Amino acid sequence: MENNTITLEQIQNFEGKYPKQLWYLFLVEMWERFCFYGMRGVLAFFMVDQLGLLEGKANLQYGAIQAFVYAFTFIGGIFADKVLGFKKSLLFGGIIMILGNLLIAASPHDFFYYGITLSIIGTGFFKPNVSSMVGELYHESDGRRDAGYGLFYAGINIGGMLGGAIPIYLGKNYSWSLCFLSSAVVMIIGVVTFLLTKKHLAPIGNSPLEGQTPKKRRMNEIAVYLGSIVVIPFIYIMVINSDYTDYFMYTIGVIALGYFFFELLRIKERKQQYKLLAAFIFIFGYFMFMAISEQSGGSLSLFAKDNLSNKLLFFNIDPNVVNNSINSLYVIIFSPLVGILWIFLYKRKIEPNTVIKFGLSFILLAVGFFIFYSARFFINPEGLSSLNVFALGYLIYTLGELCIGPIGMSVITKLSPKRLFGMMMGLWFLSSAFGQLAAGKLGSEMSNANTGATLMSKLIAYTDGYYQLALYSLIAGIVLIVTTPLIKKLMQEVK
């Protein structure tokens, strides 16, 4: 047992708006997001520019890698819940992420896929745990929890913004080793911050096996660590060959769906069944949202690489830095404003319900992609499109994301019975993994439509693709809004 100098009661009875532990977790997560977004923003660009992959293939591999990251988050979350506890899981994940980035930094062209494999495993153990610990800083009934998550969300996006900008800038202008080294360095800062501050978390995130003998507990923990190392070659093979990723994901998808319907049929109470079905509709909606919106690391990154000018308002700026970071910048600026808007509408009793917000997110996403499509009409004498139009498309796209991201998870927890929380959150992450996979495939279709191999033909192929995505998104939004009364019925008393 750790020496718990402070109790959970003392943590939760904090004065003021935020518990001090939140600031420590905020910093740890901020550096992890730098590492994650740094990697995400570089993937497709590096594969095309440095490894010589065709754009269609790079999009598929990008989708496969991202799908694995999210699928592993599901698996890592289960092991954290059942064996390691959040603290050990986070530490293990962080160390593996550092090793992955150091490996690529040592020789980016030779070790890229090995390092990516380690990053997938590390992120899986790291990503789900910090946000779970944030929840435990508050009593069930503490109204300050939302403010805490709001601050935490800002931390994620500051990390995302810096991570989107700095590694790609270093890679394009200095060296790719430096690009991956920067992610390793900030991750080391994150892990050291955690080690120095974890004593303040007292019992939060300790191993759930504390009742067992130390020997038995150690055996279980070692089994998880060894298991993670044993799967490295399998993940490596599946990442290299995106066909295998498909088989893996479809298998997981069928098992997850089967398990969901098994649990659904076991519930005797009809009302609870309806609520779970409503939750499933939201999860499916989130999958569609991710499939359309998650082009930023794939096709939009490749579009920014060749087809955009570097003039944003009065500044000269690398279009890839804009592509990787502007979404996070908008979230930091507009997230509080959207929150204030909902409160304003709520006080006047005209706040739209969750289903309408979901529908609205798709309509805003559609408008964002229509603007990306319109980039073809704003071409300068060098044949490059306007970065200002691109940035405007991202603004509308981000407003759509703000209508779905923060409320999605909370509505899933409201609709699910307590004993199925883990499974439903797992499905939420899995739907995200499938969305990433589908996004890679959609991006690949766009690249393959580019038969002319000139910059103009590429511009036409990608903007045609964005037009299609805008239409899909618009239809999904309209369907959600029209079926609102039906979904509200399924939701029963949940608002």
Side-chain angles (χ1 to χ4, degrees), residues 43-53 58 61-62 112-113:
L43 280 176
F45 186 99
F46 184 84
M47 289 190 277
V48 170
D49 199 59
Q50 296 295 310
L51 302 181
L53 267 65
Q61 290 218 304
Y62 168 78
F112 179 71
Y113 288 110

Side-chain angles (χ1 to χ4, degrees), residues 79-80 83-84 92 125 219-229:
F79 281 122
V83 183
L84 296 178
F92 177 61
F125 277 99
M219 295 289 283
N220 280 321
E221 286 169 6
I222 289 168
V224 172
Y225 300 143
L226 285 178
S228 309
I229 292 159

Side-chain angles (χ1 to χ4, degrees), residues 54-109:
L54 291 172
E55 294 202 350
K57 177 87 172 115
N59 267 306
L60 283 178
Q61 290 218 304
Y62 168 78
I65 291 165
Q66 287 290 97
F68 268 118
V69 167
Y70 281 87
F72 249 78
T73 304
F74 174 51
I75 297 165
I78 291 171
F79 281 122
D81 267 348
K82 302 276 184 273
V83 183
L84 296 178
F86 298 140
K87 285 181 186 157
K88 283 182 177 154
S89 180
L90 185 147
L91 194 58
F92 177 61
I95 291 167
I96 299 284
M97 285 170 83
I98 292 165
L99 292 175
N101 278 295
L102 287 175
L103 192 60
I104 306 179
S107 176
H109 294 81

Side-chain angles (χ1 to χ4, degrees), residues 6 34 51 89 117 196 274 318 344 361 417-418:
I6 67 173
F34 180 107
L51 302 181
S89 180
T117 303
L196 293 175
Y274 286 156
D318 182 332
F344 174 80
S361 69
K418 194 92 172 147

Side-chain angles (χ1 to χ4, degrees), residues 356-371:
I356 300 272
K357 284 181 186 172
F358 251 63
L360 192 61
S361 69
F362 278 98
I363 287 172
L364 288 166
L365 185 63
V367 175
F369 272 95
F370 276 127
I371 295 172

Side-chain angles (χ1 to χ4, degrees), residues 101-316:
N101 278 295
L102 287 175
L103 192 60
I104 306 179
S107 176
H109 294 81
D110 299 328
F111 294 151
F112 179 71
Y113 288 110
Y114 297 107
I116 289 289
T117 303
L118 289 179
S119 286
I120 287 169
I121 294 171
T123 309
F125 277 99
F126 194 108
K127 187 174 154 59
N129 298 315
V130 184
S131 39
S132 305
M133 288 199 273
V134 170
E136 287 196 44
L137 298 174
Y138 296 88
H139 280 301
E140 290 283 313
S141 56
D142 193 330
R144 295 173 292 185
R145 180 188 297 241
D146 283 357
Y149 268 110
L151 177 74
F152 186 64
Y153 201 58
I156 291 176
N157 283 289
I158 293 167
M161 183 175 72
L162 296 172
I166 294 168
I168 190 101
Y169 178 78
L170 291 173
K172 285 173 86 167
N173 297 297
Y174 295 98
S175 85
W176 287 103
S177 286
L178 214 57
C179 157
F180 293 103
L181 187 63
S182 69
S183 288
V185 168
V186 296
M187 203 59 218
I188 291 169
I189 297 171
V191 167
V192 169
T193 305
F194 178 68
L195 285 171
L196 293 175
T197 59
K198 73 180 174 100
K199 63 174 185 291
H200 297 292
L201 290 166
I204 293 176
N206 285 354
S207 168
L209 306 179
E210 301 229 301
Q212 294 185 350
T213 61
K215 187 181 174 192
K216 191 171 177 191
R217 193 167 83 220
R218 205 169 299 116
M219 295 289 283
N220 280 321
E221 286 169 6
I222 289 168
V224 172
Y225 300 143
L226 285 178
S228 309
I229 292 159
V230 168
V231 297
I232 289 173
F234 297 106
I235 296 174
Y236 175 76
I237 290 164
M238 287 194 273
V239 165
I240 290 281
N241 184 338
S242 55
D243 287 351
Y244 291 157
T245 309
D246 290 357
Y247 301 138
F248 171 77
M249 290 300 293
Y250 296 147
T251 308
I252 276 201
V254 169
I255 293 169
L257 277 179
Y259 185 56
F260 169 77
F261 284 109
F262 166 72
E263 286 289 4
L264 182 72
L265 294 172
R266 275 183 61 194
I267 295 171
K268 294 289 173 271
E269 197 191 339
R270 182 55 55 91
K271 277 176 113 172
Q272 187 56 67
Q273 281 184 332
Y274 286 156
K275 286 202 288 199
L276 265 191
L277 277 174
F280 188 76
I281 292 170
F282 285 120
I283 287 170
F284 184 73
Y286 188 57
F287 154 72
M288 286 175 49
F289 190 87
M290 292 300 275
I292 297 168
S293 70
E294 272 299 315
Q295 295 299 318
S296 49
S299 73
L300 285 168
S301 166
L302 297 171
F303 181 68
K305 171 167 120 45
D306 294 325
N307 289 107
L308 293 174
S309 74
N310 56 4
K311 283 226 54 95
L312 182 64
L313 300 176
F314 318 107
F315 308 102
N316 272 339

